[in-house]
Amino acid sequence: MPGGAAPPSEPVFYVPGEHHPKNGTLLGFWVYLMSDCLIFACLFAVYGVLGRSFAAGPSGADLFDLQLVAVNTALLLLSSITYGFAMLEMRRNRIGATQAWLAITGILGLGFLSLELYEFMHLIHQGAGPQRSAFLSAFFTLVGTHGLHVTFGIVWLVTLMLQVRMHGLIPENRRRLMCLSMFWHFLDLIWVGVFTFVYLMGVLP
């Protein structure tokens, strides 16, 4: 120390107050969701341009199974409801019930992914892979990107379930569950657009 002074016994902090601004995480997550909206907007725009470029190959009317897609849509929308129940139980400070609804949400999400992978494998088996035409390239890119987001959401969900089991419903875990809630509902909203714009309009002549 300069001048032979003894070092301070306790650390000195020159930034007073809380280092994490109130609601800073939620604001930052909203910014992330808006950037994700731009990504999906670009993918929807690409599909809108290439969605009728069949290259003398099969069209959506030839390939899409609306009954399967309707079941898949129901699974994802139902998972949004179950996540809402989890948030209600979180507000009541019921850890067990919160974990149960989160688990149901994850199972429904896995069911959605399983049907989506089945659809992809079925299309590829029919010779309608992403390299067949610009329409199929745009389709696989848009729907596959959404599927990757759901996969990430399930991994995040399992991680938070472990965090809640270890530390309970502390403020940090409540904030994380709130962010995942926004992300999960955002994926449902995007899928409604996919179901309408890609599948329903795709079966039209």
Side-chain angles (χ1 to χ4, degrees):
M1 297 294 292
S9 58
E10 296 183 359
V12 178
F13 296 98
Y14 297 98
V15 180
E18 177 62 41
H19 290 244
H20 191 288
K22 187 176 181 181
N23 296 327
T25 299
L26 293 179
L27 176 61
F29 199 76
W30 272 111
V31 173
Y32 159 72
L33 285 183
M34 294 304 101
S35 67
D36 231 11
C37 280
L38 293 177
I39 294 175
F40 279 105
C42 293
L43 294 177
F44 274 109
V46 170
Y47 184 86
V49 173
L50 303 177
R52 295 290 175 176
S53 301
F54 305 126
S59 66
D62 302 320
L63 298 173
F64 295 156
D65 183 355
L66 283 186
Q67 292 183 347
L68 178 68
V69 180
V71 172
N72 219 15
T73 302
L75 287 176
L76 193 61
L77 295 181
L78 187 59
S79 73
S80 186
I81 296 174
T82 57
Y83 199 102
F85 288 151
M87 296 300 292
L88 291 175
E89 296 298 337
M90 182 194 74
R91 292 181 179 276
R92 299 185 182 116
N93 207 31
R94 298 175 180 174
I95 296 178
T98 301
Q99 293 280 63
W101 284 115
L102 289 176
I104 295 173
T105 301
I107 292 172
L108 292 172
L110 286 174
F112 172 85
L113 284 178
S114 299
L115 289 180
E116 189 169 278
L117 289 174
Y118 169 79
E119 180 189 28
F120 280 6
M121 290 187 295
H122 181 66
L123 292 177
I124 293 173
H125 180 72
Q126 288 182 312
Q131 75 283 357
R132 179 64 182 83
S133 65
F135 152 66
L136 286 168
S137 295
F139 167 78
F140 274 92
T141 303
L142 174 57
V143 179
T145 300
H146 180 272
L148 286 176
H149 278 71
V150 175
T151 303
F152 173 75
I154 292 175
V155 173
W156 189 3
L157 179 68
V158 173
T159 303
L160 280 183
M161 290 181 66
L162 294 175
Q163 289 287 325
V164 171
R165 181 179 179 181
M166 293 173 58
H167 305 292
L169 294 172
I170 58 177
E172 291 80 6
N173 283 339
R174 290 174 181 268
R175 184 169 62 244
R176 293 162 186 160
L177 287 169
M178 182 66 70
C179 289
L180 180 55
S181 174
M182 293 190 295
F183 181 75
W184 201 266
H185 295 314
F186 167 75
L187 294 182
D188 285 351
L189 181 62
I190 295 296
W191 182 255
V192 170
V194 171
F195 179 68
T196 304
F197 188 59
V198 175
Y199 289 101
L200 292 184
M201 295 182 64
V203 300
L204 296 176

